[in-house]
């Protein structure tokens, strides 16, 4: 690790404001939200539906822009960057997991995990090796040739996690990643995420409604009136 790197948040949201205009009304969803994500720390984002969890995740993941405020990735401000530069950071530094797996149906598990690495420009041989290793690590070594439709919901979601970490991101952002799964499978998928945080020191932010899972994470935050508050 670079000297001093541990002192810099992987992602730092500073005074984030985000409004949506709906007809005559303006909805203020985020209103000065601040949050630091640290290497190796898992953070649960627990708030009612409509509170702005997805909005916060999308802004942290540079998928959406804030109206005011700044998103720092590895200490560097991102608001002045071009779309190309933001896309580059998303590819290398940030992994995203959605509630539904969003895998490409016509590709195998292995190919789904290879793709982000190939887009980044790695050689095919390297991507096969790394994708196989990650899938095996997540307990899917016997399933790499299967297409998404031939996998269970929990397996599909673990492939999606493997894809999200394929380029060894510094941050892993997950929007209700276990929301579509039964409790037992959710537990298994959650276990895979926690295992990755400990093994790779990725910073993880998970939006979840599941208080039991949230209680097993390092830190819990919520959104109140557009601001991030610590829950304990
Ligand atoms: P959560 O993830 O906590 O359920 P969201 O971030 O999805 O909350 O949404 C917060 C609020 O912002 C909701 O009221 C939603 O309707 C509104 N919203 C989200 N995205 C848009 C958009 N693109 N345009 C207008 N309103 C939106």
């Amino acid at each position: 690790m670079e000297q001093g790197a541990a002192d810099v948040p992987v992602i730092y949201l500073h005074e984030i404001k985000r409004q949506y205009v709906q007809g005559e009304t303006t909805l203020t969803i985020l209103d000065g939200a601040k949050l630091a994500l640290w290497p190796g720390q898992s953070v649960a984002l627990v708030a009612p539906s409509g509170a702005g969890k997805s909005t916060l995740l999308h802004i942290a993941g540079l998928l959406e822009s804030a109206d005011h405020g700044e998103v720092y990735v590895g200490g560097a401000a991102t608001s002045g960057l071009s779309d190309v530069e933001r896309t580059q950071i998303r590819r290398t530094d940030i992994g995203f997991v959605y509630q539904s797996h969003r895998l490409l149906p016509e590709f195998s598990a292995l190919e789904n995990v290879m793709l982000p690495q190939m887009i980044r420009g790695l050689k095919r041989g390297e991507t096969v090796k790394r994708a196989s290793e990650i899938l095996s690590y997540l307990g899917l070594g016997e399933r790499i040739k299967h297409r998404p439709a031939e996998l269970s919901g929990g397996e599909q979601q673990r492939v999606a996690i493997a894809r999200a970490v394929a380029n060894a991101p510094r941050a892993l952002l997950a929007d209700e990643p276990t929301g579509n799964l039964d409790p037992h499978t959710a537990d298994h998928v959650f276990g895979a995420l926690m295992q990755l945080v400990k093994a790779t020191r990725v910073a993880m932010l998970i939006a979840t409604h599941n208080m039991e899972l949230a209680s097993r994470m390092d830190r819990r935050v919520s959104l109140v009136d557009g601001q991030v508050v610590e829950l304990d």
Side-chain angles (χ1 to χ4, degrees):
M1 196 184 282
E2 283 169 34
Q3 199 177 7
D7 300 323
V8 178
V10 174
I11 294 180
Y12 178 51
L13 303 176
H14 181 68
E15 298 283 348
I16 298 296
K17 188 160 181 178
R18 183 73 172 107
Q19 295 181 317
Y20 293 116
V21 178
Q22 283 186 344
E24 301 278 287
T25 55
T26 301
L27 291 172
T28 300
I29 306 304
L30 299 174
D31 195 8
K34 281 190 267 186
L35 179 66
L37 300 178
W38 299 94
Q41 190 183 55
S42 56
V43 181
L45 175 58
V46 189
S49 205
K53 299 185 294 299
S54 298
T55 303
L56 186 87
L57 283 169
H58 290 163
I59 289 173
L62 307 184
L63 293 162
E64 198 175 314
S65 293
D67 298 320
H68 296 284
E70 185 60 84
V71 181
Y72 296 89
V73 178
T78 59
S79 63
L81 300 179
S82 67
D83 283 350
V84 172
E85 290 168 324
R86 288 163 67 90
T87 302
Q88 190 63 30
I89 293 176
R90 267 205 312 276
R91 272 188 198 146
T92 56
D93 290 338
I94 300 167
F96 218 101
V97 180
Y98 298 89
Q99 184 168 359
S100 63
H101 57 77
R102 300 198 184 186
L103 297 170
L104 297 173
E106 66 274 31
F107 290 104
S108 68
L110 186 71
E111 289 162 340
N112 268 283
V113 181
M114 287 166 61
L115 271 171
Q117 300 173 77
M118 295 188 77
I119 290 168
R120 199 182 157 193
L122 296 187
K123 293 208 182 77
R124 189 183 164 81
E126 284 174 55
T127 69
V128 172
K129 184 166 176 288
R130 182 163 165 79
S132 309
E133 282 171 5
I134 301 169
L135 287 165
S136 297
Y137 183 76
L138 293 176
L140 294 163
E142 306 291 309
R143 299 279 184 278
I144 61 173
K145 297 278 170 60
H146 290 56
R147 290 186 182 188
E150 298 160 348
L151 298 170
S152 70
E155 288 169 342
Q156 290 167 345
Q157 204 55 325
R158 278 184 285 148
V159 176
I161 292 167
R163 178 183 55 182
V165 298
N167 285 331
R170 295 196 275 183
L172 184 57
L173 308 174
D175 198 352
E176 312 248 6
T178 62
N180 283 343
L181 305 173
D182 66 76
H184 178 73
T185 310
D187 198 65
H188 198 164
V189 168
F190 179 76
L193 285 165
M194 295 304 280
Q195 192 182 340
L196 279 169
V197 175
K198 296 301 162 225
T200 66
R201 298 210 21 93
V202 69
M204 185 167 77
L205 178 63
I206 303 187
T208 182
H209 279 121
N210 188 324
M211 282 309 290
E212 198 273 317
L213 295 186
S215 72
R216 287 155 56 189
M217 295 174 66
D218 296 323
R219 190 175 148 206
R220 283 146 292 282
V221 299
S222 188
L223 280 168
V224 177
D225 296 333
Q227 303 206 349
V228 177
V229 296
E230 302 285 333
L231 284 181
D232 44 38

